[in-house]
Structure formats: C-alpha cells, structure tokens
Amino acid sequence: MRTAVVTGGGSGIGKAIAERLKADGLRVATLDLNPPATEHSYKADVTSREQIDEALTRIRASLGPVTVLVNAAGLDGFKRFADLSFASWQRVIDVNLNGVFHCVQAVLPDMVETGWGRIVNISSSSAHSGQQYMAHYVSAKSAVNGLTKALALELGPAGVTVNAVPPGFIDTPMLRKAEERGLLGGTIEDHIQRTPVRRVGTPQDLAATCSFLISEEAGYITGQIVGVNGGRNT
Ligand SMILES: NC(=O)c1ccc[n+]([C@@H]2O[C@H](COP(=O)([O-])OP(=O)(O)OC[C@H]3O[C@@H](n4cnc5c(N)ncnc54)[C@H](O)[C@@H]3O)[C@@H](O)[C@H]2O)c1
C-alpha cells in the first residue's frame, strides 16, 4: 500500500484530493497551516523545512515511506503591481513556489529508494492566461510549471513522475473569499456564463485528475501540465 502526503490538505482542493486518495486505498497524511482535527493531519508551514521534516518523521514512523506527494498548499493575493510590497511578493513566492521545493526535496529520498514515485503540483490556470493584480501569484505558479518540467526530466530515470495540474475557477473557500471581496471581476455566476462547460469546477474534479496521475496506469505521463478548467484555457 502506498503512502501519500497532501499539502494544503485542510481545505478545498487539497482536502478533496486527500479524501479521494484515501478512498483509492492509499495511506494519506496531510500537512497544513490549519490542520483539521483528524487522524494523520499535521500542522506545518510549507515554507519551513524544519516543520516539514518534523512532520515527515512522524508520518514515516506511522505510515511508512512516502512515495506520493501532492503539493496543493497555496496562498493567493490581489494587489496592483505598483502597490505590491516586496514582503507580500516574497510570502506568495515562498508559499507557492519555495514550499514545493522544500516538500519535494524532503520526500524525494523515499521515492528514489523505492524506485517509484508520483509528484503532482497544483499550479494555476493564471500561469497560462496571466491575471491582473496577481503578479506575485502568477509568477510563482508559472515557476511551479517550469519546476515540474525540469524535475520530470531529472527524476524520470529514478522511476518518479512529476506533473502539474493547474486549476481554473474551482469552488473552494479561496474562490469564495475572492468573490466576497469583489476581486473576481464579476460574480461566480457571471463567470459560469463565460465558461465553456457552463459550471464552476469542483475540488472533486481536481481529485479525480490527481487520482489518475498517481495511478500505475499513468506511468508514461510526466512533465505535463494537465489543465482542469472547464475549457476556460485551452
Ligand atoms: N480555487 C481555485 O479556483 C484555484 C485556482 C487556481 C489555483 N488554485 C490552487 O489550488 C490550491 C488549493 O487551493 P484552494 O482553492 O483549495 O484554496 P484553500 O484556501 O481552500 O486551501 C488552501 C490550503 O492551503 C493551506 N496553506 C496556505 N498556506 C500554507 C502554508 N504556508 N503551509 C501549509 N499550508 C498552507 C491553507 O491553510 C488551506 O488549507 C492552491 O495551490 C491554489 O493556489 C486554486
């Protein structure tokens, strides 16, 4: 039985992915700044290597080596570029990009030793389309797509696949908060009318994609950016 770690597993997309992988029969642990009070949920800030390593020590002791990693922890932000503080820029890059660096490096020895691994990075469709007032976020998520491609080439020979899944417009607390603050350029309903499949995405849409990408059957798929966005970006 495989052991998976899902970052950002306390909410939205990460939570749905963790539930799906459990239902698929994996042992699943989650890392989150705000972990739910459930078994195998660990508090860790993905920007802190120390906190990640501490959590992984406990996870390995109870669930064994980690051979599946889904990086779903994320932090958005909306600010005109001219007003964007360097501290906000750094924090958004730190959580969305450096967090992936730390988590991949921390679990990689388990995958290399096993000769098998699956890494899925949840990036963002905004890396494809660009997004005004989100220069820091778009930059970080674009870099995650690039990191995914570089790692796929480097880790393929070790039996590890690395793919990115950029979501577009998924109904989660992150999206609802942005709507409440009037940051979406219209309501969710307005956006649905402009979405080819005429609905908002669900965390379960992402969970199904991850479930496939980490399966045995997906072993020939690596270095890919697999969009889940209802046709908003093609
Ligand atoms: N919802 C969307 O439409 C959408 C679109 C594009 C990309 N995404 C990406 O999908 C991922 C999941 O987003 P979501 O919509 O489920 O958001 P969410 O806010 O519901 O969940 C994000 C989770 O990440 C955790 N988190 C944030 N910073 C962290 C840190 N430093 N360390 C550990 N955990 C941290 C939060 O506590 C939260 O539980 C994110 O990477 C987000 O950028 C979402």
Side-chain angles (χ1 to χ4, degrees):
M1 196 190 276
R2 310 272 188 207
T3 296
V5 166
V6 181
T7 74
S11 174
I13 291 169
K15 185 173 172 204
I17 292 170
E19 284 165 1
R20 173 62 191 257
L21 300 193
K22 250 181 248 170
D24 287 348
L26 282 85
R27 300 188 198 100
V28 180
T30 58
L31 299 187
D32 204 292
L33 267 184
N34 300 306
T38 53
E39 207 187 0
H40 307 309
S41 299
Y42 295 86
K43 183 175 170 66
D45 184 329
V46 294
T47 68
S48 161
R49 184 60 161 270
E50 201 184 340
Q51 291 181 27
I52 294 164
D53 284 340
E54 261 174 37
L56 278 173
T57 301
R58 294 166 65 197
I59 292 166
R60 289 183 178 112
S62 57
L63 303 180
V66 177
T67 53
V68 175
L69 172 67
V70 181
N71 287 300
L75 175 67
D76 64 0
F78 298 84
K79 202 81 177 173
R80 299 177 81 87
F81 182 70
D83 302 327
L84 184 59
S85 69
F86 189 62
S88 300
W89 166 272
Q90 265 184 321
R91 180 65 186 162
V92 166
I93 301 269
D94 218 14
V95 175
N96 294 292
L97 175 60
N98 298 339
V100 176
F101 168 90
H102 287 307
C103 291
V104 171
Q105 228 177 42
V107 301
L108 196 54
D110 290 8
M111 297 182 181
V112 171
E113 193 168 320
T114 309
W116 189 96
R118 295 278 189 268
I119 298 170
V120 178
N121 298 321
I122 307 299
S123 57
S124 169
S125 64
S126 64
H128 185 102
S129 60
Q131 184 70 45
Q132 60 187 354
Y133 312 136
M134 296 186 87
H136 45 359
Y137 181 79
V138 173
S139 300
K141 293 298 194 180
S142 300
V144 168
N145 285 347
L147 175 64
T148 299
K149 291 184 184 201
L151 289 181
L153 300 185
E154 199 170 316
L155 303 180
V160 178
T161 68
V162 191
N163 292 288
V165 178
F169 220 66
I170 310 297
D171 196 353
T172 67
M174 186 184 272
L175 189 75
R176 290 280 163 185
K177 269 180 229 151
E179 184 190 39
E180 273 165 35
R181 293 168 59 204
L183 296 168
L184 292 182
T187 62
I188 290 177
E189 196 47 48
D190 297 333
H191 278 275
I192 288 173
Q193 297 316 315
R194 298 200 288 272
T195 300
V197 303
R198 294 289 189 274
R199 70 171 174 86
V200 66
T202 65
Q204 288 70 30
D205 290 320
L206 273 295
T209 310
C210 276
S211 169
F212 172 63
L213 287 174
I214 67 155
S215 69
E216 290 296 334
E217 288 169 298
Y220 200 56
I221 301 173
T222 193
Q224 303 304 307
I225 313 295
V226 184
V228 177
N229 58 47
R232 292 164 61 89
N233 302 97
T234 57

